[in-house]
Structures are given as C-alpha cells and as structure tokens.
Amino acid sequence: MSAEAADREAATSSRPCTPPQTCWFEFLLEESLLEKHLRKPCPDPAPVQLIVQFLEQASKPSVNEQNQVQPPPDNKRNRILKLLALKVAAHLKWDLDILEKSLSVPVLNMLLNELLCISKVPPGTKHVDMDLATLPPTTAMAILLYNRWAIRTIVQSSFPVKQAKPGPPQLSVMNQMQQEKELTENILKVLKEQAADSILVLEAALKLNKDLYVHTMRTLDLLAVEPGMVNGETESSTAGLKIKTEEMQCQVCYDLGAAYFQQGSTNSAVYENAREKFFRTKELIAEIGSLSLHCTIDEKRLAGYCQACDVLVPSSDSTSQQLTPYSQVHICLRSGNYQEVIQIFIEDNLTFSLPVQFRQSVLRELFQKAQQGNEALDEICFKVCACNTVRDILEGRTISVQFNQLFLRPNREKIDFLLEVCSRSINLEKASDCLKGNMAAFLKNVCLGLEDLQYVFMISSHELFITLLKDEERKLLVDQMRKRSPRVNLCIKPVTSFYDIPASASVNIGQLEHQLILSVDPWRIRQILIELHGMTSDRQFWTVSNKWEIPSVYSSVILGIKDSLTRDLVYILMAKGLHCSTVKDFSHAKQLFAACLELVTEFSPKLRQVMLNEMLLLDIHTHEAGTGQSGERPPSDLISRVRGYLEMRLPDIPLRQVVAEECVAFMLNWRENEYLTLQVPAFLLQSNPYVKLGQLLAATCKELPGPKESRRTAKDLWEVVVQICSVSNQHKRGNDGRISLIKQRESTLGIMYRSELLSFIKKLREPLVLTIILSLFVKLHNVREDIVNDITAEHISIWPSSIPNLQSVDFEAVAITVKELVRYTLSINPNNHSWLIIQADIYFATNQYSAALHYYLQAGAVCSDFFNKAVPPDVYTDQVIKRMIKCCSLLNCHTQVAILCQFLREIDYKTAFKSLQEQNSHDAMDSYYDYIWDVTILEYLTYLHHKRGETDKRQIAIKAIGQTELNASNPEEVLQLAAQRRKKKFLQAMAKLYF
C-alpha cells in the first residue's frame, strides 16, 4: 500500500462514524458511508428509517421563484437518494415481511416503483402483458416483488385493524395522518382494480423453470456507474442475489393462496384455488427446508390456512369418517343438513373435541338465519342450544340466557329432546362423580323451573333422572313440588297414564296445518282440510302459508267459490301445483293439477278451462325439460292441444299471458311455421301480440331463401320491432316556463313492451329464428348516425337500411338488448360462428380488443376443427381480418399484425411494413417469423434488421426465406399448402394465447 493510500485510509478511519442526528442522511450521501453504517450490529437510525428518510427527501416538492409548488426535481441529488433507499432495501434482501411491517403503504409503493423503474420495466406497460420468461431475471423479479406486495396489501387491508389510542390532538400531526390515510386509500383502490392482473402475473410466474436474481447493493452501484454493463450482466444471469425457482414459487404460492382465500368470502368456488396453492406451499417447504434464506413463510399461519381450507373445501377423496368434526359441521351447514349438525354436537358432548366458541358461533349463525324469516330454523336453534347447554353444565359452566329464553314455553317435544341429549351426553359407567353431579343438578333445576306438573313427571320418571339422583334427593324434590302445589298428588314412579292424555284442540290444529304445508299428496291435503274444517269453521286455511301464491287473474275466480272447504282445496291444490312446476317437480305438479281439474269439473266450466290451460303449460315444460332437450319432437297430440289453445275463443275465461307466450315459442322451436303463417286465425293476430310476433318470425324464416324483393314479411317484422324499441316523447313545461322533453323508456306504442319481447325471445331455441332476431337488432343498432364500427350478422341484408324517424328509437336500449341476446344465444349454442363474430364485433366496437380477438379466434376455431381445416372465407372475411389486425395493433402486437396482413385477399404491405418498423412490440416478434409465408415481407424484415444492426434476428429472417417450400418457382399448389400450414400454426398459437 502506498503512503498516500495509507494516509487516506487513516483519515477515513479517524472520521466519526455517527454524524449529528439532524444531518445524518446528508452525511451518508456525501461521504458514501451507507454500507459501513448498515454493517453495524444495531445501526441507528435503523435501515427502514433510512428508507423512509431517503424517499421523503427525494420526494420533497420544490418552490420556484413565483412561490409556486413544483414536483420534486429530477436532479442528481434526488436520484442518489432514491438509489440509497433501494440499496437499503437490497441490504434487507427485499424481505417483504420486514418492509411491510415497518414501512407505510405509500412509502413501500414508492420504493417498489423505483425498483421497477431501475429494473428497466417500461412505464405504463401492463405487467400482465409482459412475458416473464423472456425478461432479464432482475426485471422479472422486480415485477414479481411488486405484484406480490400488491396482493399482500389487498389481503392485509381486508383484516380488521385495532385503532391506536389517540394522543393529545396536534393539528399538524392530524393533517399529516389524514393525508397519509387518503393516499393509502387511493393506492389501495388502484391495487384492487389491478388485482386480477397481479394474480395472472403471479400465476404465470409459477410456470417459470429458471432461477431469478434480485438487485443487490453491488448491482445497484453498477447501475449508477455503468447502466449498460449491468444490463448485459443481468441478462446473462450473472449479477444479483440468486433466488432459486423453488423458493420463488413457494413465496408466490403462499401469497396467491392468501389472495384466493380472501376472495372466497364473496365467491366460495375460489376456496378450491386457495387450497391448491396452500398445499403446494407445504410441499415446496418440505423440498427446500424451513431454513431457506430467501423464503420466509409463517408456518403456523400456513397450517391455519390449510385447516380452514380443509373445512371449506374438503378433498374429494375424503370419506365422512376421515373428515374432521369442523369439516363435517361446515358441510352440513352448507347443505342445510341441520339434523346431522345436532348429532355431531351430541357426540361431541362425550369427547369435548369442538371448542365451545366454535359451537356458539354455529348457534349464532343459525339464529341470524332464523331472524331473516326462516321459521323452520326455530326448532333447530333450540336443539343446538340444548346441546351447547348440556356441554356447558358438564364442564361446570352456568346455563346461558339463550337457553332460558328458548325454554320459556316448554312442550313435550322439547322435554323429550332435552332428555335424549342428556342421556347420550354422559356415559354412566365411565363418567366421573363430578360429571354425574353436574348432570343431576341440571335436571333437578329444570324440574324446579317448570310450572306444568305433567312435564315434571316426564323428567322425574326418566331412567337417567332415577339413576343420577338418590332416593333422598328425589323425595326432597317431591316435597318442594308439593309445597308449590299441595293439592296435586305427586308420585316418583313413572306415570304411564300421562302418555294417554289427549292434546288440546289448538295443538292438533297446529300439527295439521304443519302437515298441510308439507304435503304434496292431493288426497292427503283433502283429508287434512276436512279434519281442520271439522274442528273450526271460522278459519280460511288457504292463508296458512304466505308461500302459496296464484296469479291474480285466477284468485278472484277461486276466492269467489262459496263453499269454504272447496275454496281452500282448489286454492291450495293450484298453488302447490304451480310451485312444483316452478321447481321442476313435474310429477307432483301433474298429480295436483289432475286432482284440481277433477274437483272443479263438477261445478265450474270456467275453472275447468283454467286447469286445462295450466296442464297444457305443464306438459310443454315437461317435454322441453325432458326428451325435448335431446331433439325429440313432441307428440302430435301436444301440438294439437297447443293449436287448440291458440284458437280458443271462450269468453270470460281468465288467461295468463305466459301460456300464450310459451305456446307460440313452442311452435317456433319445433318449426311449425306452416301453421303460424297460413292456418292461424285472423282474430288471433289482432288480439294476441305473441301470435302476431310468432307469425311474422315464421313467415320471415319461410321467405328467407327467396329473392329480396319478395320479403315483405321481413319489413313488417322490422316495423313491429322498431315500434317496440321506440320511445314516446312528451313535452312538459317547468316552473321557469321552459319546455323540456321527456322520453319514456318503455314505449306503449308497440304491440308489447321491450322487456316482454326480450322475455319471449329467451324462450326460443331454434337457431334460424334466433339468428333472424339477432340480425334484426344488429341492423337496428347499426342504423344510428354516430356508429363508428358496424356489427356484422348473418342475413342482415334483408332488413331496411334506414328509419324515417331516428330520434324516436331508444338506441341505448337497443344496444343493451343486442348484448343480452348475444349472451343468451351463446348460452344455447356456444359453437355458432355467426353469433361468436357478433360478440367479437361488440367487444371491438367498445374498445375491448383482447376480448374481441378471443371471440374472433373462437369463431374460426369452431368451424375449422381448431384450425386443422381452412377457416371458411365467409367466416374470416376481409372485414373480420382487418378488425383482428386493428386489435393486435392497439395491443402493441405488431408482428401479429404483419402476419395477419397476409390473410387478406390482397396483402396489405403498407400496414405490414409500418407495423414491423415498431420497436415497442409486446408479442414474441422473431419467434413468429416461421409463420410468415410472403417472401416480400420476409425480405423487408431482413433489410430492417440489417439496418438496425440486429444480426441474430436477421439470421432468423434469412432462415425463414430459405425454406424450399417458399421458393417462388414452386407450383401454386405447393405455395398454397405452405401458406395454409403456416396459417394453421399461427392461428393455433394465437388461440392458445387468447383463450
């Protein structure tokens, strides 16, 4: 060492290592003593405090000469401060547990954004659009750190936070806290909006099979000195702190599991994803060991998560014997099997395995459901409360207030159940004297609290009571009861005659009403009503359940029946039949309707026709839900009955509009177009709007193959739908004297409301009818003057191209209807390429380009066996290809644009060349060159890469040109085959990318 160097070393070592507290960050900045400070055993200030101070100083706003506040300047000092903050975080090995514990959300957000910036992540670029596998390892790791922190912050924000006790109020401190709170809320709002993208980024990270690197203090110094050098070093995976693939995946799996678990509160299906990620985390911890330097997982918390997932989503291979009591209780609660919950609680009274708090939480949940109007849970609540009370007294706790409230009005069923629980909750042979004493005291106290001596006899004569209480205790209890009621002769022995005491009339009526509610057997219902009317004559038993509802058009006729028994019977049979039909219990519905029909035939022709109509509707539903789903045509007698209903002209018959709606839809679905166009009576077209609409649809289907000028019916259908979608304008004078225009959304000008039309369409399943309706609404949507991007549809040319009064049409409602119709039609047949193109056009028109590409590709896939055959040219028209090109261009996938330009009938070289000149491309670029078959484009690529000095990419383009099958001297068939093969591979690659 030279003398000069020795002097410099001595001078450095003689300087004070701890500067004055007021300017320590300036000291570290000027003297570059950060690393020396961090190597101290207990550095003061601590590393996390350094990060806060560095970033606060770097983000201080400046004030110009006019005293105006300006953003922080991007000068050398601020850049060095940010770099120092990053170096401190690197010293902490980017441990999010430490950083989150000590740094606020705004500070950590600023720190990680600086990391993204210094790691060469392009600003404004969505992380989900970046391919982690092709990025430099430090860049990929920076993206992972940011997105891990994002979802961890979202999860953490969902936990309740204990508010700190406020100190003496200080205005400046309160203002600062309020600003930080608002800033945190704004950041959280952004993070939640990007949560889906963050999850996708982390899911993509799990597919990586290479080690990653994270910036260290050394690599950050290199970045400050020589940015280009560290970039090259990072890209060749030789710089930074190495993070093994297993360690990275372990952390990501744990964070994803926590995110999925948090989402499960609103979507229970996501718990399955959480379970998968947590159990994968356990596997990875077992592989890498719990002493890993870069993977810190709270294993106790992980175990808790795994146990919760086992309860919420038990594995499919588990049997009921293998499930924990927690899992069994949770499954029973979700399925509504409350009796099984009671059995589990009774068995647990012997083992004491379930915590008391858990049992109480189950009772609270049942109480909440009961208070929301589920009256059937009242009995369950008492039984669960009784099980919990017995558990409490066995463990020496006092009886809960809830049990006393539920036991205020005891009855025989409650006493029986309580004695059953007590008997099954104690093993007399093995139980300790303490348990026996607790149980005996409980039974004795229950007896003393009962006023009805019959219930006292039930308990005192029970085998458990006789076994637990000694003779002296039983005699003492009898003496106490005698003092309360001296005229009653009590007996210790069982009173067998008690069980023969008849129930009161009110109890019998209640029991019969309960049976009436539950029964779906028409003859049993009739028998119960006869018994009830024999007990009392002043009750209307059709009001017993508020769930019994019949259409208002029928209720006036039924409630007009003079005989109360017949009125109750007809009303209840019809209400139960309609309910069974709604829940698709068609067999019981048919029995109930048949019994009702037989009853009303005797005295009311009007109600007889009503029941025939309802049975017709039931038969339609039965066929559509059964054999009709497999395409089997309905029996001819059903079609005849539908025709008979449509042609019916009986006066004063109450009719439900839904029956006519279903009948017309039934005829259209089974292609009875001849009847609807030629044989339907004229009066029906005037009186029934659904028949009118069905007739126009059937006629349009029939005329479709003919010449355009013969499609008069299509024009009539167009005018009907336009009228339905029109709004009536009304003028209203306001308080200020001005006249304003009011638009009514639901027009009364058409033959029906738009909502009724949409409801009717959603009963149709015939593809041709749905295609015609869809094309009509698409055309109506395109007629607007402000439409930039038209939607295409099959048979769209049959409709008029203009509307006389454009202002009258509610185009907003038309757009909503188009979207609903496309959603419905794709639910009927998701493989109809015409409907898929419409859905794609809708997304394209609303600037949702990724979704549009998804549906354009799906339309091509379904009609080409996933592109193994050529896509028909009437599917991938030039317009569709141009829209796919625009989607790729706006998604910055410029190489895909160039390839798609070849799909056009005339190759668009101008667009292709312009897209290839773009350097900020988000697709795979040169890996797509194998899909280019046009030699001109490949030659341009070769020239472009040569001009840019991109030797490797130029060689890839030259190799693509050199393929023999692209030789211009080849026969046309060979060239077409080469093009077709590349089309197939490219479209399949695109499908995998966007599906």
Side-chain angles (χ1 to χ4, degrees):
M1 181 184 296
S2 65
E4 183 181 350
D7 291 341
R8 190 164 54 249
E9 176 73 13
T12 304
S13 61
S14 64
R15 290 173 184 166
C17 293
T18 305
Q21 191 67 26
T22 55
C23 60
W24 56 264
F25 62 90
E26 294 284 356
F27 184 78
L28 293 176
L29 177 62
E30 293 176 7
E31 303 295 332
S32 303
L33 296 177
L34 178 64
E35 292 185 41
K36 191 170 183 179
H37 176 78
L38 293 174
R39 283 198 295 268
K40 292 180 181 179
C42 297
D44 182 26
V48 287
Q49 293 175 334
L50 287 174
I51 294 175
V52 174
Q53 294 296 338
F54 285 144
L55 291 178
E56 280 184 357
Q57 292 297 321
S59 60
K60 271 188 177 180
S62 61
V63 180
N64 61 13
E65 295 177 355
Q66 288 79 28
N67 287 329
Q68 294 175 334
V69 178
Q70 301 290 328
D74 185 19
N75 53 28
K76 181 180 178 182
R77 178 180 180 277
N78 284 348
R79 285 195 295 272
I80 292 176
L81 282 168
K82 293 175 184 177
L83 182 65
L84 290 174
L86 292 171
K87 290 176 71 174
V88 176
H91 170 74
L92 298 173
K93 295 185 172 60
W94 301 99
D95 190 329
L96 286 179
D97 289 333
I98 296 174
L99 296 174
E100 288 171 340
K101 185 176 180 180
S102 306
L103 300 180
S104 65
V105 170
V107 172
L108 193 46
N109 179 58
M110 193 188 310
L111 178 70
L112 292 176
N113 274 300
E114 287 302 324
L115 175 64
L116 292 174
C117 182
I118 207 167
S119 299
K120 304 294 185 275
V121 177
T125 304
K126 284 190 174 183
H127 296 171
V128 73
D129 295 333
M130 303 181 76
D131 185 2
L132 297 178
T134 61
L135 295 175
T138 50
T139 305
M141 195 63 199
I143 291 173
L144 286 189
L145 273 171
Y146 178 84
N147 286 283
R148 278 185 56 216
W149 168 75
I151 64 169
R152 286 163 67 108
T153 304
I154 293 169
V155 171
Q156 191 64 34
S157 69
S158 67
F159 297 153
V161 179
K162 185 178 180 181
Q163 297 294 334
K165 291 183 179 179
Q170 298 180 15
L171 186 60
S172 60
V173 174
M174 290 175 66
N175 288 339
Q176 185 178 355
M177 290 174 63
Q178 181 62 27
Q179 289 175 3
E180 183 171 325
K181 182 182 178 183
E182 291 175 359
L183 188 56
T184 302
E185 288 174 353
N186 291 334
I187 293 171
L188 273 173
K189 182 180 177 182
V190 174
L191 293 180
K192 288 176 181 177
E193 289 173 356
Q194 299 173 350
D197 286 352
S198 294
I199 288 174
L200 288 175
V201 170
L202 297 182
E203 287 284 7
L206 296 179
K207 299 175 184 176
L208 294 177
N209 55 2
K210 66 175 184 179
D211 297 336
L212 296 181
Y213 290 78
V214 67
H215 279 302
T216 60
M217 297 179 75
R218 172 178 165 271
T219 60
L220 291 169
D221 278 334
L222 290 173
L223 273 175
V225 175
E226 196 77 37
M229 185 179 75
V230 75
N231 247 3
E233 194 174 2
T234 304
E235 285 177 355
S236 60
S237 303
T238 60
L241 182 65
K242 183 177 179 181
I243 308 295
K244 291 183 179 179
T245 307
E246 295 79 6
E247 293 176 324
M248 178 271 291
Q249 289 183 349
C250 187
Q251 289 277 19
V252 170
C253 277
Y254 180 74
D255 293 337
L256 277 173
Y260 286 138
F261 193 89
Q262 184 244 349
Q263 292 175 357
S265 60
T266 55
N267 181 7
S268 58
V270 182
Y271 283 129
E272 181 64 45
N273 295 341
R275 184 182 190 281
E276 177 189 340
K277 292 295 182 285
F278 285 134
F279 280 85
R280 177 59 182 153
T281 305
K282 289 181 71 175
E283 293 173 5
L284 288 168
I285 288 176
E287 289 179 21
I288 63 180
S290 57
L291 300 178
S292 168
L293 294 175
H294 312 304
C295 180
T296 55
I297 302 291
D298 185 345
E299 294 192 42
K300 288 185 178 179
R301 193 174 186 86
L302 175 62
Y305 271 130
C306 290
Q307 187 175 18
C309 288
D310 268 337
V311 172
L312 295 165
V313 189
S315 57
S316 56
D317 57 350
S318 300
T319 63
S320 59
Q321 289 77 16
Q322 294 170 331
L323 293 174
T324 63
Y326 292 99
S327 301
Q328 291 177 0
V329 170
H330 189 77
I331 291 169
C332 293
L333 289 174
R334 283 199 300 177
S335 61
N337 188 0
Y338 301 118
Q339 295 298 333
E340 185 63 26
V341 174
I342 294 166
Q343 297 306 315
I344 294 170
F345 278 18
I346 293 175
E347 292 170 7
D348 181 65
N349 284 349
L350 287 169
T351 60
F352 297 172
S353 60
L354 290 173
V356 175
Q357 294 82 357
F358 174 73
R359 295 171 61 126
Q360 290 172 347
S361 70
V362 171
L363 180 59
R364 280 195 300 271
E365 182 179 340
L366 292 172
F367 267 129
Q368 288 172 359
K369 290 182 179 179
Q371 289 168 0
Q372 290 168 2
N374 192 343
E375 297 175 359
L377 286 180
D378 290 343
E379 181 184 354
I380 300 297
C381 288
F382 168 75
K383 291 185 176 181
V384 172
C385 185
C387 294
N388 288 352
T389 300
V390 172
R391 166 75 177 270
D392 288 340
I393 62 102
L394 287 173
E395 293 186 317
R397 287 186 291 274
T398 58
I399 299 173
S400 67
V401 175
Q402 289 173 328
F403 178 78
N404 288 326
Q405 289 175 339
L406 292 173
F407 208 61
L408 277 175
R409 295 181 179 177
N411 54 37
R412 180 174 176 176
E413 288 76 15
K414 288 183 178 181
I415 301 289
D416 277 337
F417 179 76
L418 185 62
L419 290 171
E420 179 190 352
V421 174
C422 291
S423 301
R424 293 176 56 186
S425 299
I426 187 168
N427 187 338
L428 293 174
E429 297 178 359
K430 299 180 181 178
S432 64
D433 292 339
C434 179
L435 287 179
K436 291 179 181 178
N438 290 342
M439 182 67 79
F442 171 67
L443 292 174
K444 189 164 64 173
N445 287 332
V446 170
C447 285
L448 291 171
L450 292 170
E451 295 181 0
D452 193 326
L453 297 178
Q454 295 175 355
Y455 299 148
V456 177
F457 292 147
M458 288 179 65
I459 297 175
S460 62
S461 61
H462 194 272
E463 182 181 356
L464 179 64
F465 185 91
I466 296 171
T467 305
L468 291 175
L469 270 77
K470 300 176 181 177
D471 291 342
E472 296 79 10
E473 291 176 312
R474 294 202 302 276
K475 288 177 182 177
L476 180 62
L477 177 63
V478 170
D479 290 340
Q480 289 175 327
M481 297 301 292
R482 279 201 184 102
K483 290 176 184 177
R484 287 173 46 185
S485 184
R487 290 176 292 176
V488 178
N489 183 19
L490 292 176
C491 175
I492 297 173
K493 295 182 179 180
V495 183
T496 55
S497 61
F498 166 74
Y499 295 99
D500 300 326
I501 298 173
S504 65
S506 61
V507 172
N508 281 339
I509 290 175
Q511 290 174 344
L512 288 172
E513 287 178 347
H514 185 65
Q515 293 175 27
L516 185 64
I517 292 171
L518 297 179
S519 180
V520 288
D521 179 6
W523 307 115
R524 177 61 184 149
I525 292 170
R526 178 176 177 273
Q527 183 182 359
I528 293 170
L529 282 172
I530 291 172
E531 292 183 43
L532 287 170
H533 277 273
M535 293 180 181
T536 177
S537 59
D538 58 350
R539 289 283 303 278
Q540 294 180 331
F541 292 104
W542 61 270
T543 62
V544 164
S545 173
N546 58 5
K547 305 292 184 184
W548 292 341
E549 296 178 353
I550 63 172
S552 56
V553 291
Y554 297 161
S555 59
S556 58
V557 181
I558 294 174
L559 296 180
I561 299 173
K562 294 181 180 179
D563 181 64
S564 58
L565 174 58
T566 306
R567 180 175 60 242
D568 288 343
L569 185 54
V570 172
Y571 190 100
I572 293 171
L573 289 175
M574 176 174 280
K576 283 179 173 285
L578 290 171
H579 173 74
C580 288
S581 179
T582 302
V583 299
K584 294 184 169 30
D585 184 1
F586 299 125
S587 58
H588 281 123
K590 193 159 190 173
Q591 292 175 16
L592 291 160
F593 281 163
C596 192
L597 174 63
E598 183 181 347
L599 177 64
V600 299
T601 301
E602 301 174 359
F603 65 89
S604 176
K606 188 184 293 187
L607 284 175
R608 177 181 180 277
Q609 188 58 51
V610 165
M611 291 313 305
L612 288 173
N613 296 345
E614 289 299 328
M615 291 187 75
L616 170 62
L617 183 60
L618 176 64
D619 288 342
I620 291 174
H621 287 162
T622 305
H623 179 266
E624 295 295 298
T627 56
Q629 287 188 335
S630 60
E632 183 179 333
R633 280 189 64 79
S636 56
D637 69 311
L638 181 55
I639 296 175
S640 299
R641 288 166 60 201
V642 171
R643 291 182 179 183
Y645 173 81
L646 292 175
E647 297 170 10
M648 181 177 62
R649 298 189 68 174
L650 294 175
D652 301 329
I653 298 295
L655 299 174
R656 277 210 297 161
Q657 195 72 8
V658 68
V659 183
E661 190 180 345
E662 290 281 0
C663 285
V664 175
F666 177 82
M667 299 295 275
L668 286 170
N669 285 335
W670 296 106
R671 297 176 289 281
E672 292 292 324
N673 295 336
E674 285 291 331
Y675 171 77
L676 288 172
T677 52
L678 301 176
Q679 300 174 30
V680 69
F683 76 89
L684 270 181
L685 299 176
Q686 304 300 323
S687 62
N688 195 320
Y690 293 103
V691 175
K692 172 71 174 175
L693 187 62
Q695 189 255 349
L696 291 173
L697 283 168
T700 305
C701 290
K702 190 177 175 185
E703 291 178 0
L704 201 57
K708 185 175 181 181
E709 54 272 10
S710 68
R711 298 170 190 160
R712 174 63 193 169
T713 316
K715 186 179 180 185
D716 293 341
L717 179 59
W718 168 267
E719 291 173 353
V720 165
V721 173
V722 168
Q723 200 75 6
I724 292 172
C725 294
S726 296
V727 289
S728 55
N729 297 333
Q730 294 181 356
H731 295 277
K732 180 181 178 181
R733 187 176 297 275
N735 294 331
D736 57 355
R738 296 182 180 179
I739 296 176
S740 59
L741 185 66
I742 302 172
K743 285 190 175 182
Q744 293 183 347
R745 282 291 175 209
E746 286 285 355
S747 171
T748 55
L749 303 175
I751 60 173
M752 63 179 70
Y753 290 118
R754 185 182 63 87
S755 56
E756 293 174 336
L757 173 61
L758 191 59
S759 172
F760 171 72
I761 294 170
K762 288 184 177 181
K763 291 179 170 61
L764 300 174
R765 291 182 294 100
E766 170 59 23
L768 181 57
V769 178
L770 289 172
T771 300
I772 286 174
I773 295 173
L774 198 49
S775 69
L776 189 156
F777 273 98
V778 166
K779 183 66 176 181
L780 187 55
H781 173 272
N782 292 344
V783 167
R784 289 177 65 175
E785 295 175 345
D786 58 343
I787 284 292
V788 178
N789 297 306
D790 282 354
I791 301 173
T792 56
E794 203 173 354
H795 306 308
I796 200 169
S797 61
I798 69 173
W799 311 111
S801 56
S802 62
I803 300 175
N805 188 6
L806 268 177
Q807 291 76 18
S808 66
V809 178
D810 186 356
F811 284 108
E812 184 182 340
V814 171
I816 293 171
T817 305
V818 170
K819 291 177 183 178
E820 288 193 41
L821 288 179
V822 174
R823 193 180 303 116
Y824 170 70
T825 52
L826 288 177
S827 70
I828 296 295
N829 181 7
N831 294 326
N832 186 304
H833 65 81
S834 172
W835 301 343
L836 289 167
I837 291 288
I838 295 173
Q839 179 68 83
D841 282 348
I842 291 172
Y843 280 127
F844 181 81
T846 53
N847 303 329
Q848 300 179 67
Y849 302 113
S850 180
L853 271 176
H854 170 92
Y855 281 98
Y856 283 133
L857 289 165
Q858 191 173 341
V862 298
C863 60
S864 63
D865 190 20
F866 197 68
F867 305 112
N868 285 306
K869 301 174 185 174
V871 179
D874 61 330
V875 177
Y876 275 2
T877 61
D878 270 6
Q879 180 178 347
V880 170
I881 297 298
K882 286 177 181 177
R883 291 188 172 185
M884 292 173 71
I885 289 171
K886 185 172 181 181
C887 289
C888 291
S889 176
L890 292 168
L891 292 171
N892 287 337
C893 298
H894 301 297
T895 316
Q896 294 173 6
V897 170
I899 297 172
L900 285 170
C901 286
Q902 302 173 110
F903 284 62
L904 296 167
R905 287 180 174 82
E906 293 184 8
I907 299 176
D908 186 355
Y909 289 112
K910 181 180 178 182
T911 304
F913 292 167
K914 186 178 178 182
S915 65
L916 291 173
Q917 290 170 6
E918 297 284 345
Q919 292 187 325
N920 184 23
S921 186
H922 293 172
D923 56 21
M925 297 180 68
D926 50 332
S927 64
Y928 280 130
Y929 291 176
D930 285 340
Y931 303 137
I932 302 175
W933 64 87
D934 184 79
V935 176
T936 305
I937 294 177
L938 287 170
E939 288 174 345
Y940 180 77
L941 273 172
T942 306
Y943 158 75
L944 199 61
H945 291 314
H946 175 71
K947 184 180 176 182
R948 293 174 180 168
E950 297 169 341
T951 308
D952 292 343
K953 293 181 179 179
R954 178 172 175 269
Q955 288 301 321
I956 295 172
I958 291 173
K959 183 181 177 183
I961 295 175
Q963 296 178 81
T964 54
E965 58 187 0
L966 297 183
N967 193 319
S969 302
N970 286 337
E972 186 64 27
E973 297 81 15
V974 174
L975 293 173
Q976 288 182 358
L977 187 62
Q980 190 56 45
R981 185 160 60 246
R982 283 162 176 74
K983 281 184 181 181
K984 165 192 165 182
K985 290 182 178 178
F986 173 69
L987 290 172
Q988 286 176 342
M990 289 276 284
K992 290 176 183 175
L993 188 62
Y994 288 98
F995 283 3

